[in-house]
């Protein structure tokens, strides 16, 4: 399913003076932690799926996982730095082809998407395979995403060119969560912590909905006015909660798999 990216048309340009900054190293560690915990929780799929983040201080470069490595193998130093033309500026290897064509175009065309997490995590992907709206506002966890989602109905096969990447980027609009019908999901955010927090709770919300649907009984949605009110309550302090969530993830990994930060 995964595809190697072809040789870039231009040589890589070394810009290492910007890539040794403390903020960049911290971003590497934080992103590596997300890969490891996603693997631990079963949110990944083989050597497919990608998490990326715009390099701090460089709006033309982004961190992404290399082709051929599973989420459980990612370390801070193993992450690649790529530009929007397919050149690997730092790191060994190349990005997976769809990782480049999706993430480069999302980061380039949607500046607020500092982080872009694309997975085929099972419960959210299962709901993206059904007719109609994937997420029903019937569970409290789901209300975290009230008014923040959109559905990309135009499945077009693998994203193996810039045109498909541009189409996916354009589909995001003002949303933070994209259900990609017949495919998977995309979470975008202003920070690694916020994207991780949304990714985690989105899968939990979808899991709860799938379990409820499996009973065969009708779901009972929360009335719109209460759904909106609860969403607004949840958004108060959400950024700090996300930061603390990622710090908890890193503490867990430091005890169980400390090599993630190397």
């Amino acid at each position: 399913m995964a595809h190697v990216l072809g040789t870039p048309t231009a040589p890589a340009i070394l810009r290492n003076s910007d890539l040794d900054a403390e903020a960049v190293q911290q971003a590497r560690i934080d992103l590596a932690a997300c890969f490891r915990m996603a693997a631990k929780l079963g949110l990944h799929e083989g050597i497919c799926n990608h998490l990326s983040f715009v390099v701090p201080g460089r709006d033309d470069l982004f961190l992404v996982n290399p082709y051929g490595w599973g989420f459980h193998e990612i370390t801070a130093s193993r992450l690649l730095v790529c530009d929007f033309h397919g050149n690997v500026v730092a790191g060994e290897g190349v990005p997976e082809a769809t990782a480049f064509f999706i993430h480069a175009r999302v980061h380039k065309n949607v500046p607020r998407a500092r982080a872009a997490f694309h997975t085929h995590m099972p419960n959210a992907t299962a709901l993206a395979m059904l007719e109609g709206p994937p997420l029903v506002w019937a569970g409290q966890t789901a209300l975290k995403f009230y008014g923040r989602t959109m559905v990309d109905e135009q499945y077009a096969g693998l994203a193996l060119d810039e045109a498909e990447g541009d189409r996916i980027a354009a589909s995001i609009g003002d949303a933070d969560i994209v259900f990609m019908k017949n495919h998977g999901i995309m979470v975008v955010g202003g920070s690694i912590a916020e994207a991780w927090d949304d990714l985690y709770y989105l899968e939990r919300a979808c899991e709860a909905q799938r379990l409820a649907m499996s009973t065969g009984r009708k779901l009972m949605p929360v009335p719109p006015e209460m759904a909106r009110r609860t969403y607004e309550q949840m958004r108060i302090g959400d950024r700090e909660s996300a930061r603390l969530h990622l710090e908890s993830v890193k503490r867990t990994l430091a005890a169980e798999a400390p090599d993630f930060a190397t």
Side-chain angles (χ1 to χ4, degrees), residues 203-237:
E203 180 67 354
R204 294 290 289 179
C206 292
E207 180 182 23
Q209 179 176 314
R210 181 184 61 79
L211 288 170
M213 292 169 64
S214 72
T215 68
R217 298 171 63 181
K218 187 176 180 180
L219 293 174
M220 186 175 70
V222 175
E225 62 275 12
M226 182 55 67
R228 167 61 63 179
R229 178 184 174 188
T230 306
Y231 158 77
E232 291 172 349
Q233 290 174 326
M234 288 181 169
R235 293 300 276 176
I236 297 172

Side-chain angles (χ1 to χ4, degrees), residues 52-67:
S52 64
F53 185 64
V54 175
V55 172
R58 294 299 304 257
D59 290 343
D60 57 336
L61 303 173
F62 64 101
L63 289 161
V64 70
N65 44 313
Y67 174 66

Side-chain angles (χ1 to χ4, degrees), residues 101 105 160-169:
F101 287 114
R105 306 312 289 178
L160 295 175
D161 55 44
E162 289 188 351
E164 178 60 8
D166 286 337
R167 189 197 67 76
I168 291 171

